[in-house]
PDB file of all heavy atoms in Angstrom:
ATOM      1  N   PRO A   1     -81.507-218.831  54.251  1.00  0.00           N
ATOM      2  CA  PRO A   1     -82.445-217.863  54.803  1.00  0.00           C
ATOM      3  C   PRO A   1     -83.840-217.973  54.197  1.00  0.00           C
ATOM      4  O   PRO A   1     -84.823-217.701  54.868  1.00  0.00           O
ATOM      5  CB  PRO A   1     -81.813-216.515  54.483  1.00  0.00           C
ATOM      6  CG  PRO A   1     -80.978-216.774  53.273  1.00  0.00           C
ATOM      7  CD  PRO A   1     -80.476-218.180  53.434  1.00  0.00           C
ATOM      8  N   GLY A   2     -83.932-218.330  52.951  1.00  0.00           N
ATOM      9  CA  GLY A   2     -85.227-218.549  52.328  1.00  0.00           C
ATOM     10  C   GLY A   2     -85.864-217.363  51.653  1.00  0.00           C
ATOM     11  O   GLY A   2     -86.789-217.514  50.883  1.00  0.00           O
ATOM     12  N   HIS A   3     -85.377-216.158  51.920  1.00  0.00           N
ATOM     13  CA  HIS A   3     -86.109-214.995  51.424  1.00  0.00           C
ATOM     14  C   HIS A   3     -86.007-214.754  49.923  1.00  0.00           C
ATOM     15  O   HIS A   3     -86.729-213.917  49.397  1.00  0.00           O
ATOM     16  CB  HIS A   3     -85.723-213.741  52.206  1.00  0.00           C
ATOM     17  CG  HIS A   3     -84.323-213.261  51.966  1.00  0.00           C
ATOM     18  ND1 HIS A   3     -83.998-211.944  51.908  1.00  0.00           N
ATOM     19  CD2 HIS A   3     -83.168-213.948  51.799  1.00  0.00           C
ATOM     20  CE1 HIS A   3     -82.698-211.821  51.700  1.00  0.00           C
ATOM     21  NE2 HIS A   3     -82.176-213.027  51.648  1.00  0.00           N
ATOM     22  N   HIS A   4     -85.190-215.475  49.224  1.00  0.00           N
ATOM     23  CA  HIS A   4     -85.114-215.314  47.772  1.00  0.00           C
ATOM     24  C   HIS A   4     -86.060-216.244  47.024  1.00  0.00           C
ATOM     25  O   HIS A   4     -86.261-216.097  45.830  1.00  0.00           O
ATOM     26  CB  HIS A   4     -83.684-215.575  47.272  1.00  0.00           C
ATOM     27  CG  HIS A   4     -82.718-214.514  47.698  1.00  0.00           C
ATOM     28  ND1 HIS A   4     -81.551-214.823  48.343  1.00  0.00           N
ATOM     29  CD2 HIS A   4     -82.745-213.170  47.592  1.00  0.00           C
ATOM     30  CE1 HIS A   4     -80.889-213.701  48.614  1.00  0.00           C
ATOM     31  NE2 HIS A   4     -81.598-212.690  48.179  1.00  0.00           N
ATOM     32  N   ALA A   5     -86.629-217.219  47.693  1.00  0.00           N
ATOM     33  CA  ALA A   5     -87.491-218.199  47.041  1.00  0.00           C
ATOM     34  C   ALA A   5     -88.769-217.545  46.517  1.00  0.00           C
ATOM     35  O   ALA A   5     -89.364-216.707  47.173  1.00  0.00           O
ATOM     36  CB  ALA A   5     -87.838-219.322  48.008  1.00  0.00           C
ATOM     37  N   GLU A   6     -89.151-217.952  45.333  1.00  0.00           N
ATOM     38  CA  GLU A   6     -90.396-217.495  44.716  1.00  0.00           C
ATOM     39  C   GLU A   6     -91.482-218.535  44.987  1.00  0.00           C
ATOM     40  O   GLU A   6     -91.182-219.668  45.349  1.00  0.00           O
ATOM     41  CB  GLU A   6     -90.187-217.330  43.207  1.00  0.00           C
ATOM     42  CG  GLU A   6     -89.149-216.282  42.830  1.00  0.00           C
ATOM     43  CD  GLU A   6     -89.620-214.870  43.117  1.00  0.00           C
ATOM     44  OE1 GLU A   6     -90.843-214.609  43.019  1.00  0.00           O
ATOM     45  OE2 GLU A   6     -88.776-214.020  43.458  1.00  0.00           O
ATOM     46  N   PRO A   7     -92.762-218.191  44.785  1.00  0.00           N
ATOM     47  CA  PRO A   7     -93.827-219.175  45.056  1.00  0.00           C
ATOM     48  C   PRO A   7     -93.672-220.482  44.286  1.00  0.00           C
ATOM     49  O   PRO A   7     -94.013-221.551  44.799  1.00  0.00           O
ATOM     50  CB  PRO A   7     -95.099-218.444  44.640  1.00  0.00           C
ATOM     51  CG  PRO A   7     -94.769-216.994  44.768  1.00  0.00           C
ATOM     52  CD  PRO A   7     -93.302-216.889  44.418  1.00  0.00           C
ATOM     53  N   ASP A   8     -93.178-220.417  43.065  1.00  0.00           N
ATOM     54  CA  ASP A   8     -93.089-221.624  42.247  1.00  0.00           C
ATOM     55  C   ASP A   8     -91.667-222.025  41.877  1.00  0.00           C
ATOM     56  O   ASP A   8     -91.481-222.927  41.066  1.00  0.00           O
ATOM     57  CB  ASP A   8     -93.894-221.447  40.953  1.00  0.00           C
ATOM     58  CG  ASP A   8     -95.373-221.254  41.231  1.00  0.00           C
ATOM     59  OD1 ASP A   8     -95.869-221.866  42.195  1.00  0.00           O
ATOM     60  OD2 ASP A   8     -96.027-220.504  40.494  1.00  0.00           O
ATOM     61  N   GLU A   9     -90.667-221.346  42.426  1.00  0.00           N
ATOM     62  CA  GLU A   9     -89.297-221.635  42.027  1.00  0.00           C
ATOM     63  C   GLU A   9     -88.309-221.229  43.104  1.00  0.00           C
ATOM     64  O   GLU A   9     -88.458-220.192  43.736  1.00  0.00           O
ATOM     65  CB  GLU A   9     -88.980-220.880  40.733  1.00  0.00           C
ATOM     66  CG  GLU A   9     -87.661-221.252  40.116  1.00  0.00           C
ATOM     67  CD  GLU A   9     -87.475-220.620  38.746  1.00  0.00           C
ATOM     68  OE1 GLU A   9     -88.474-220.303  38.094  1.00  0.00           O
ATOM     69  OE2 GLU A   9     -86.322-220.444  38.361  1.00  0.00           O
ATOM     70  N   HIS A  10     -87.297-222.077  43.303  1.00  0.00           N
ATOM     71  CA  HIS A  10     -86.245-221.714  44.253  1.00  0.00           C
ATOM     72  C   HIS A  10     -85.276-220.742  43.568  1.00  0.00           C
ATOM     73  O   HIS A  10     -85.240-220.638  42.349  1.00  0.00           O
ATOM     74  CB  HIS A  10     -85.516-222.960  44.740  1.00  0.00           C
ATOM     75  CG  HIS A  10     -84.568-223.534  43.741  1.00  0.00           C
ATOM     76  ND1 HIS A  10     -84.995-224.237  42.646  1.00  0.00           N
ATOM     77  CD2 HIS A  10     -83.218-223.492  43.669  1.00  0.00           C
ATOM     78  CE1 HIS A  10     -83.951-224.611  41.935  1.00  0.00           C
ATOM     79  NE2 HIS A  10     -82.855-224.185  42.537  1.00  0.00           N
ATOM     80  N   MET A  11     -84.524-220.026  44.385  1.00  0.00           N
ATOM     81  CA  MET A  11     -83.494-219.123  43.862  1.00  0.00           C
ATOM     82  C   MET A  11     -82.263-219.291  44.731  1.00  0.00           C
ATOM     83  O   MET A  11     -82.344-219.170  45.949  1.00  0.00           O
ATOM     84  CB  MET A  11     -83.972-217.668  43.867  1.00  0.00           C
ATOM     85  CG  MET A  11     -85.116-217.407  42.905  1.00  0.00           C
ATOM     86  SD  MET A  11     -85.612-215.685  42.869  1.00  0.00           S
ATOM     87  CE  MET A  11     -84.291-214.990  41.891  1.00  0.00           C
ATOM     88  N   GLY A  12     -81.153-219.557  44.098  1.00  0.00           N
ATOM     89  CA  GLY A  12     -79.926-219.778  44.855  1.00  0.00           C
ATOM     90  C   GLY A  12     -80.085-220.975  45.762  1.00  0.00           C
ATOM     91  O   GLY A  12     -80.503-222.045  45.327  1.00  0.00           O
ATOM     92  N   PHE A  13     -79.796-220.785  47.050  1.00  0.00           N
ATOM     93  CA  PHE A  13     -79.947-221.863  48.016  1.00  0.00           C
ATOM     94  C   PHE A  13     -81.305-221.824  48.715  1.00  0.00           C
ATOM     95  O   PHE A  13     -81.558-222.613  49.610  1.00  0.00           O
ATOM     96  CB  PHE A  13     -78.838-221.794  49.068  1.00  0.00           C
ATOM     97  CG  PHE A  13     -77.480-222.065  48.492  1.00  0.00           C
ATOM     98  CD1 PHE A  13     -76.555-221.039  48.337  1.00  0.00           C
ATOM     99  CD2 PHE A  13     -77.138-223.350  48.096  1.00  0.00           C
ATOM    100  CE1 PHE A  13     -75.307-221.296  47.802  1.00  0.00           C
ATOM    101  CE2 PHE A  13     -75.886-223.613  47.554  1.00  0.00           C
ATOM    102  CZ  PHE A  13     -74.973-222.579  47.411  1.00  0.00           C
ATOM    103  N   CYS A  14     -82.160-220.890  48.343  1.00  0.00           N
ATOM    104  CA  CYS A  14     -83.452-220.719  49.003  1.00  0.00           C
ATOM    105  C   CYS A  14     -84.517-221.564  48.303  1.00  0.00           C
ATOM    106  O   CYS A  14     -84.935-221.249  47.194  1.00  0.00           O
ATOM    107  CB  CYS A  14     -83.859-219.250  48.999  1.00  0.00           C
ATOM    108  SG  CYS A  14     -82.673-218.170  49.833  1.00  0.00           S
ATOM    109  N   PHE A  15     -84.942-222.640  48.963  1.00  0.00           N
ATOM    110  CA  PHE A  15     -85.962-223.519  48.392  1.00  0.00           C
ATOM    111  C   PHE A  15     -87.357-223.150  48.870  1.00  0.00           C
ATOM    112  O   PHE A  15     -88.334-223.347  48.172  1.00  0.00           O
ATOM    113  CB  PHE A  15     -85.663-224.972  48.737  1.00  0.00           C
ATOM    114  CG  PHE A  15     -84.454-225.487  48.026  1.00  0.00           C
ATOM    115  CD1 PHE A  15     -83.200-225.406  48.612  1.00  0.00           C
ATOM    116  CD2 PHE A  15     -84.566-226.006  46.762  1.00  0.00           C
ATOM    117  CE1 PHE A  15     -82.074-225.869  47.942  1.00  0.00           C
ATOM    118  CE2 PHE A  15     -83.443-226.471  46.080  1.00  0.00           C
ATOM    119  CZ  PHE A  15     -82.192-226.391  46.675  1.00  0.00           C
ATOM    120  N   PHE A  16     -87.468-222.664  50.096  1.00  0.00           N
ATOM    121  CA  PHE A  16     -88.740-222.243  50.674  1.00  0.00           C
ATOM    122  C   PHE A  16     -88.600-220.811  51.159  1.00  0.00           C
ATOM    123  O   PHE A  16     -87.571-220.446  51.708  1.00  0.00           O
ATOM    124  CB  PHE A  16     -89.132-223.111  51.871  1.00  0.00           C
ATOM    125  CG  PHE A  16     -89.082-224.584  51.592  1.00  0.00           C
ATOM    126  CD1 PHE A  16     -88.112-225.382  52.176  1.00  0.00           C
ATOM    127  CD2 PHE A  16     -90.002-225.168  50.751  1.00  0.00           C
ATOM    128  CE1 PHE A  16     -88.062-226.743  51.927  1.00  0.00           C
ATOM    129  CE2 PHE A  16     -89.961-226.530  50.486  1.00  0.00           C
ATOM    130  CZ  PHE A  16     -88.988-227.319  51.077  1.00  0.00           C
ATOM    131  N   ASN A  17     -89.640-220.012  50.996  1.00  0.00           N
ATOM    132  CA  ASN A  17     -89.643-218.678  51.585  1.00  0.00           C
ATOM    133  C   ASN A  17     -90.077-218.867  53.037  1.00  0.00           C
ATOM    134  O   ASN A  17     -91.266-218.906  53.351  1.00  0.00           O
ATOM    135  CB  ASN A  17     -90.580-217.746  50.817  1.00  0.00           C
ATOM    136  CG  ASN A  17     -90.435-216.317  51.275  1.00  0.00           C
ATOM    137  OD1 ASN A  17     -90.367-216.057  52.466  1.00  0.00           O
ATOM    138  ND2 ASN A  17     -90.379-215.402  50.338  1.00  0.00           N
ATOM    139  N   ASN A  18     -89.101-219.034  53.917  1.00  0.00           N
ATOM    140  CA  ASN A  18     -89.354-219.410  55.302  1.00  0.00           C
ATOM    141  C   ASN A  18     -90.365-218.515  56.003  1.00  0.00           C
ATOM    142  O   ASN A  18     -91.236-219.008  56.716  1.00  0.00           O
ATOM    143  CB  ASN A  18     -88.046-219.413  56.091  1.00  0.00           C
ATOM    144  CG  ASN A  18     -87.057-220.426  55.573  1.00  0.00           C
ATOM    145  OD1 ASN A  18     -87.421-221.369  54.887  1.00  0.00           O
ATOM    146  ND2 ASN A  18     -85.786-220.233  55.890  1.00  0.00           N
ATOM    147  N   VAL A  19     -90.252-217.218  55.835  1.00  0.00           N
ATOM    148  CA  VAL A  19     -91.154-216.299  56.523  1.00  0.00           C
ATOM    149  C   VAL A  19     -92.575-216.463  56.011  1.00  0.00           C
ATOM    150  O   VAL A  19     -93.525-216.531  56.801  1.00  0.00           O
ATOM    151  CB  VAL A  19     -90.662-214.840  56.378  1.00  0.00           C
ATOM    152  CG1 VAL A  19     -91.690-213.864  56.922  1.00  0.00           C
ATOM    153  CG2 VAL A  19     -89.331-214.661  57.084  1.00  0.00           C
ATOM    154  N   SER A  20     -92.752-216.542  54.713  1.00  0.00           N
ATOM    155  CA  SER A  20     -94.097-216.719  54.160  1.00  0.00           C
ATOM    156  C   SER A  20     -94.733-218.021  54.626  1.00  0.00           C
ATOM    157  O   SER A  20     -95.912-218.052  54.983  1.00  0.00           O
ATOM    158  CB  SER A  20     -94.050-216.695  52.632  1.00  0.00           C
ATOM    159  OG  SER A  20     -93.616-215.435  52.179  1.00  0.00           O
ATOM    160  N   VAL A  21     -93.960-219.082  54.635  1.00  0.00           N
ATOM    161  CA  VAL A  21     -94.477-220.372  55.089  1.00  0.00           C
ATOM    162  C   VAL A  21     -94.844-220.296  56.575  1.00  0.00           C
ATOM    163  O   VAL A  21     -95.924-220.734  56.992  1.00  0.00           O
ATOM    164  CB  VAL A  21     -93.455-221.504  54.834  1.00  0.00           C
ATOM    165  CG1 VAL A  21     -93.906-222.806  55.469  1.00  0.00           C
ATOM    166  CG2 VAL A  21     -93.211-221.684  53.346  1.00  0.00           C
ATOM    167  N   ALA A  22     -93.971-219.718  57.376  1.00  0.00           N
ATOM    168  CA  ALA A  22     -94.226-219.611  58.820  1.00  0.00           C
ATOM    169  C   ALA A  22     -95.467-218.773  59.107  1.00  0.00           C
ATOM    170  O   ALA A  22     -96.268-219.126  59.978  1.00  0.00           O
ATOM    171  CB  ALA A  22     -93.006-219.020  59.525  1.00  0.00           C
ATOM    172  N   ILE A  23     -95.646-217.692  58.378  1.00  0.00           N
ATOM    173  CA  ILE A  23     -96.824-216.847  58.592  1.00  0.00           C
ATOM    174  C   ILE A  23     -98.095-217.596  58.215  1.00  0.00           C
ATOM    175  O   ILE A  23     -99.106-217.525  58.917  1.00  0.00           O
ATOM    176  CB  ILE A  23     -96.704-215.529  57.797  1.00  0.00           C
ATOM    177  CG1 ILE A  23     -95.538-214.695  58.329  1.00  0.00           C
ATOM    178  CG2 ILE A  23     -98.015-214.746  57.849  1.00  0.00           C
ATOM    179  CD1 ILE A  23     -95.567-214.371  59.798  1.00  0.00           C
ATOM    180  N   LYS A  24     -98.069-218.313  57.120  1.00  0.00           N
ATOM    181  CA  LYS A  24     -99.245-219.089  56.709  1.00  0.00           C
ATOM    182  C   LYS A  24     -99.599-220.135  57.766  1.00  0.00           C
ATOM    183  O   LYS A  24    -100.769-220.312  58.115  1.00  0.00           O
ATOM    184  CB  LYS A  24     -98.983-219.747  55.353  1.00  0.00           C
ATOM    185  CG  LYS A  24    -100.208-220.312  54.736  1.00  0.00           C
ATOM    186  CD  LYS A  24    -101.172-219.199  54.419  1.00  0.00           C
ATOM    187  CE  LYS A  24    -102.218-219.657  53.419  1.00  0.00           C
ATOM    188  NZ  LYS A  24    -103.193-218.612  53.171  1.00  0.00           N
ATOM    189  N   VAL A  25     -98.592-220.822  58.293  1.00  0.00           N
ATOM    190  CA  VAL A  25     -98.828-221.806  59.359  1.00  0.00           C
ATOM    191  C   VAL A  25     -99.397-221.109  60.592  1.00  0.00           C
ATOM    192  O   VAL A  25    -100.375-221.571  61.192  1.00  0.00           O
ATOM    193  CB  VAL A  25     -97.533-222.576  59.702  1.00  0.00           C
ATOM    194  CG1 VAL A  25     -97.714-223.420  60.957  1.00  0.00           C
ATOM    195  CG2 VAL A  25     -97.095-223.432  58.530  1.00  0.00           C
ATOM    196  N   MET A  26     -98.809-219.978  60.980  1.00  0.00           N
ATOM    197  CA  MET A  26     -99.279-219.230  62.146  1.00  0.00           C
ATOM    198  C   MET A  26    -100.732-218.802  61.977  1.00  0.00           C
ATOM    199  O   MET A  26    -101.535-218.910  62.900  1.00  0.00           O
ATOM    200  CB  MET A  26     -98.393-218.007  62.374  1.00  0.00           C
ATOM    201  CG  MET A  26     -98.792-217.197  63.592  1.00  0.00           C
ATOM    202  SD  MET A  26     -98.414-215.447  63.418  1.00  0.00           S
ATOM    203  CE  MET A  26     -99.540-214.966  62.132  1.00  0.00           C
ATOM    204  N   GLN A  27    -101.094-218.349  60.782  1.00  0.00           N
ATOM    205  CA  GLN A  27    -102.465-217.903  60.533  1.00  0.00           C
ATOM    206  C   GLN A  27    -103.472-219.048  60.632  1.00  0.00           C
ATOM    207  O   GLN A  27    -104.620-218.823  60.987  1.00  0.00           O
ATOM    208  CB  GLN A  27    -102.566-217.241  59.157  1.00  0.00           C
ATOM    209  CG  GLN A  27    -101.890-215.890  59.099  1.00  0.00           C
ATOM    210  CD  GLN A  27    -101.824-215.323  57.699  1.00  0.00           C
ATOM    211  OE1 GLN A  27    -101.739-216.048  56.717  1.00  0.00           O
ATOM    212  NE2 GLN A  27    -101.877-214.004  57.615  1.00  0.00           N
ATOM    213  N   THR A  28    -103.047-220.256  60.309  1.00  0.00           N
ATOM    214  CA  THR A  28    -103.971-221.388  60.391  1.00  0.00           C
ATOM    215  C   THR A  28    -104.038-221.990  61.790  1.00  0.00           C
ATOM    216  O   THR A  28    -105.039-222.613  62.129  1.00  0.00           O
ATOM    217  CB  THR A  28    -103.586-222.501  59.386  1.00  0.00           C
ATOM    218  OG1 THR A  28    -102.282-222.984  59.687  1.00  0.00           O
ATOM    219  CG2 THR A  28    -103.631-222.001  57.955  1.00  0.00           C
ATOM    220  N   ARG A  29    -103.009-221.768  62.607  1.00  0.00           N
ATOM    221  CA  ARG A  29    -102.969-222.412  63.928  1.00  0.00           C
ATOM    222  C   ARG A  29    -103.225-221.483  65.102  1.00  0.00           C
ATOM    223  O   ARG A  29    -103.297-221.947  66.245  1.00  0.00           O
ATOM    224  CB  ARG A  29    -101.615-223.093  64.130  1.00  0.00           C
ATOM    225  CG  ARG A  29    -101.388-224.227  63.162  1.00  0.00           C
ATOM    226  CD  ARG A  29    -100.126-224.965  63.496  1.00  0.00           C
ATOM    227  NE  ARG A  29     -99.840-225.982  62.496  1.00  0.00           N
ATOM    228  CZ  ARG A  29     -98.768-226.736  62.504  1.00  0.00           C
ATOM    229  NH1 ARG A  29     -97.876-226.613  63.472  1.00  0.00           N
ATOM    230  NH2 ARG A  29     -98.573-227.616  61.560  1.00  0.00           N
ATOM    231  N   THR A  30    -103.324-220.174  64.842  1.00  0.00           N
ATOM    232  CA  THR A  30    -103.579-219.214  65.922  1.00  0.00           C
ATOM    233  C   THR A  30    -104.651-218.229  65.457  1.00  0.00           C
ATOM    234  O   THR A  30    -104.970-218.159  64.266  1.00  0.00           O
ATOM    235  CB  THR A  30    -102.301-218.413  66.290  1.00  0.00           C
ATOM    236  OG1 THR A  30    -101.997-217.484  65.250  1.00  0.00           O
ATOM    237  CG2 THR A  30    -101.112-219.331  66.552  1.00  0.00           C
ATOM    238  N   PRO A  31    -105.185-217.433  66.368  1.00  0.00           N
ATOM    239  CA  PRO A  31    -106.188-216.431  65.978  1.00  0.00           C
ATOM    240  C   PRO A  31    -105.594-215.240  65.206  1.00  0.00           C
ATOM    241  O   PRO A  31    -106.338-214.450  64.617  1.00  0.00           O
ATOM    242  CB  PRO A  31    -106.783-215.954  67.299  1.00  0.00           C
ATOM    243  CG  PRO A  31    -106.206-216.789  68.372  1.00  0.00           C
ATOM    244  CD  PRO A  31    -105.053-217.550  67.812  1.00  0.00           C
ATOM    245  N   LEU A  32    -104.280-215.099  65.204  1.00  0.00           N
ATOM    246  CA  LEU A  32    -103.654-213.964  64.521  1.00  0.00           C
ATOM    247  C   LEU A  32    -103.787-214.102  63.009  1.00  0.00           C
ATOM    248  O   LEU A  32    -103.542-215.168  62.455  1.00  0.00           O
ATOM    249  CB  LEU A  32    -102.187-213.856  64.904  1.00  0.00           C
ATOM    250  CG  LEU A  32    -101.904-213.635  66.388  1.00  0.00           C
ATOM    251  CD1 LEU A  32    -100.409-213.665  66.650  1.00  0.00           C
ATOM    252  CD2 LEU A  32    -102.494-212.322  66.852  1.00  0.00           C
ATOM    253  N   LYS A  33    -104.156-213.004  62.348  1.00  0.00           N
ATOM    254  CA  LYS A  33    -104.340-213.052  60.902  1.00  0.00           C
ATOM    255  C   LYS A  33    -103.532-211.984  60.162  1.00  0.00           C
ATOM    256  O   LYS A  33    -103.082-212.200  59.057  1.00  0.00           O
ATOM    257  CB  LYS A  33    -105.825-212.886  60.532  1.00  0.00           C
ATOM    258  CG  LYS A  33    -106.717-213.949  61.152  1.00  0.00           C
ATOM    259  CD  LYS A  33    -106.303-215.348  60.732  1.00  0.00           C
ATOM    260  CE  LYS A  33    -107.131-216.400  61.449  1.00  0.00           C
ATOM    261  NZ  LYS A  33    -106.439-217.625  61.669  1.00  0.00           N
ATOM    262  N   ARG A  34    -103.363-210.818  60.760  1.00  0.00           N
ATOM    263  CA  ARG A  34    -102.661-209.727  60.086  1.00  0.00           C
ATOM    264  C   ARG A  34    -101.206-209.661  60.542  1.00  0.00           C
ATOM    265  O   ARG A  34    -100.919-209.705  61.730  1.00  0.00           O
ATOM    266  CB  ARG A  34    -103.353-208.397  60.380  1.00  0.00           C
ATOM    267  CG  ARG A  34    -104.757-208.358  59.812  1.00  0.00           C
ATOM    268  CD  ARG A  34    -105.432-207.072  60.103  1.00  0.00           C
ATOM    269  NE  ARG A  34    -104.751-206.018  59.354  1.00  0.00           N
ATOM    270  CZ  ARG A  34    -105.045-204.746  59.448  1.00  0.00           C
ATOM    271  NH1 ARG A  34    -105.988-204.336  60.249  1.00  0.00           N
ATOM    272  NH2 ARG A  34    -104.384-203.858  58.746  1.00  0.00           N
ATOM    273  N   VAL A  35    -100.310-209.534  59.555  1.00  0.00           N
ATOM    274  CA  VAL A  35     -98.877-209.548  59.842  1.00  0.00           C
ATOM    275  C   VAL A  35     -98.180-208.549  58.931  1.00  0.00           C
ATOM    276  O   VAL A  35     -98.546-208.404  57.761  1.00  0.00           O
ATOM    277  CB  VAL A  35     -98.288-210.956  59.582  1.00  0.00           C
ATOM    278  CG1 VAL A  35     -96.791-210.968  59.789  1.00  0.00           C
ATOM    279  CG2 VAL A  35     -98.970-211.990  60.455  1.00  0.00           C
ATOM    280  N   LEU A  36     -97.191-207.869  59.459  1.00  0.00           N
ATOM    281  CA  LEU A  36     -96.323-207.011  58.657  1.00  0.00           C
ATOM    282  C   LEU A  36     -94.995-207.730  58.501  1.00  0.00           C
ATOM    283  O   LEU A  36     -94.382-208.133  59.498  1.00  0.00           O
ATOM    284  CB  LEU A  36     -96.100-205.662  59.343  1.00  0.00           C
ATOM    285  CG  LEU A  36     -95.016-204.771  58.729  1.00  0.00           C
ATOM    286  CD1 LEU A  36     -95.438-204.301  57.340  1.00  0.00           C
ATOM    287  CD2 LEU A  36     -94.711-203.604  59.637  1.00  0.00           C
ATOM    288  N   ILE A  37     -94.563-207.913  57.264  1.00  0.00           N
ATOM    289  CA  ILE A  37     -93.265-208.527  56.988  1.00  0.00           C
ATOM    290  C   ILE A  37     -92.354-207.456  56.410  1.00  0.00           C
ATOM    291  O   ILE A  37     -92.680-206.850  55.399  1.00  0.00           O
ATOM    292  CB  ILE A  37     -93.398-209.696  55.994  1.00  0.00           C
ATOM    293  CG1 ILE A  37     -94.299-210.787  56.565  1.00  0.00           C
ATOM    294  CG2 ILE A  37     -92.014-210.252  55.641  1.00  0.00           C
ATOM    295  CD1 ILE A  37     -94.639-211.876  55.578  1.00  0.00           C
ATOM    296  N   LEU A  38     -91.237-207.227  57.046  1.00  0.00           N
ATOM    297  CA  LEU A  38     -90.244-206.269  56.572  1.00  0.00           C
ATOM    298  C   LEU A  38     -88.992-207.062  56.233  1.00  0.00           C
ATOM    299  O   LEU A  38     -88.385-207.691  57.096  1.00  0.00           O
ATOM    300  CB  LEU A  38     -89.946-205.224  57.654  1.00  0.00           C
ATOM    301  CG  LEU A  38     -88.860-204.218  57.350  1.00  0.00           C
ATOM    302  CD1 LEU A  38     -89.229-203.378  56.134  1.00  0.00           C
ATOM    303  CD2 LEU A  38     -88.605-203.333  58.549  1.00  0.00           C
ATOM    304  N   ASP A  39     -88.618-207.054  54.965  1.00  0.00           N
ATOM    305  CA  ASP A  39     -87.455-207.818  54.506  1.00  0.00           C
ATOM    306  C   ASP A  39     -86.502-206.855  53.812  1.00  0.00           C
ATOM    307  O   ASP A  39     -86.920-206.104  52.938  1.00  0.00           O
ATOM    308  CB  ASP A  39     -87.910-208.917  53.532  1.00  0.00           C
ATOM    309  CG  ASP A  39     -86.755-209.773  53.032  1.00  0.00           C
ATOM    310  OD1 ASP A  39     -85.670-209.744  53.641  1.00  0.00           O
ATOM    311  OD2 ASP A  39     -86.947-210.460  52.032  1.00  0.00           O
ATOM    312  N   TRP A  40     -85.266-206.847  54.225  1.00  0.00           N
ATOM    313  CA  TRP A  40     -84.274-206.036  53.538  1.00  0.00           C
ATOM    314  C   TRP A  40     -83.030-206.874  53.334  1.00  0.00           C
ATOM    315  O   TRP A  40     -82.795-207.837  54.036  1.00  0.00           O
ATOM    316  CB  TRP A  40     -83.975-204.741  54.287  1.00  0.00           C
ATOM    317  CG  TRP A  40     -83.147-204.907  55.509  1.00  0.00           C
ATOM    318  CD1 TRP A  40     -81.795-204.798  55.606  1.00  0.00           C
ATOM    319  CD2 TRP A  40     -83.611-205.217  56.832  1.00  0.00           C
ATOM    320  NE1 TRP A  40     -81.373-205.019  56.904  1.00  0.00           N
ATOM    321  CE2 TRP A  40     -82.489-205.277  57.680  1.00  0.00           C
ATOM    322  CE3 TRP A  40     -84.862-205.438  57.400  1.00  0.00           C
ATOM    323  CZ2 TRP A  40     -82.581-205.552  59.027  1.00  0.00           C
ATOM    324  CZ3 TRP A  40     -84.952-205.714  58.740  1.00  0.00           C
ATOM    325  CH2 TRP A  40     -83.809-205.767  59.530  1.00  0.00           C
ATOM    326  N   CYS A  41     -82.272-206.495  52.357  1.00  0.00           N
ATOM    327  CA  CYS A  41     -81.101-207.261  52.002  1.00  0.00           C
ATOM    328  C   CYS A  41     -79.858-206.396  52.209  1.00  0.00           C
ATOM    329  O   CYS A  41     -79.711-205.357  51.561  1.00  0.00           O
ATOM    330  CB  CYS A  41     -81.220-207.718  50.541  1.00  0.00           C
ATOM    331  SG  CYS A  41     -80.416-209.261  50.211  1.00  0.00           S
ATOM    332  N   VAL A  42     -78.990-206.809  53.087  1.00  0.00           N
ATOM    333  CA  VAL A  42     -77.737-206.114  53.308  1.00  0.00           C
ATOM    334  C   VAL A  42     -76.770-206.580  52.237  1.00  0.00           C
ATOM    335  O   VAL A  42     -76.660-207.779  51.979  1.00  0.00           O
ATOM    336  CB  VAL A  42     -77.182-206.431  54.721  1.00  0.00           C
ATOM    337  CG1 VAL A  42     -75.838-205.780  54.928  1.00  0.00           C
ATOM    338  CG2 VAL A  42     -78.184-206.009  55.782  1.00  0.00           C
TER     339      VAL A  42
END
């Protein structure tokens, strides 16, 4: 899932924080800049 990854370190099986990476890519490739990320852990 990626949500446990830290900026400089993986945690468990999470090597990339998928949502953070995707948002950064989206911000550079589209006009959208503001995003709300809601992450919860069941």
Side-chain angles (χ1 to χ4, degrees):
H3 69 143
H4 291 127
E6 298 290 328
D8 297 325
E9 188 172 335
H10 76 285
M11 294 183 76
F13 294 108
C14 301
F15 291 92
F16 309 110
N17 189 316
N18 297 340
V19 172
S20 296
V21 172
I23 295 304
K24 192 65 162 177
V25 170
M26 182 210 67
Q27 289 172 329
T28 61
R29 295 187 185 177
T30 72
L32 299 175
K33 301 301 175 210
R34 296 180 67 184
V35 176
L36 170 67
I37 299 172
L38 176 62
D39 181 16
W40 74 94
C41 211
V42 176

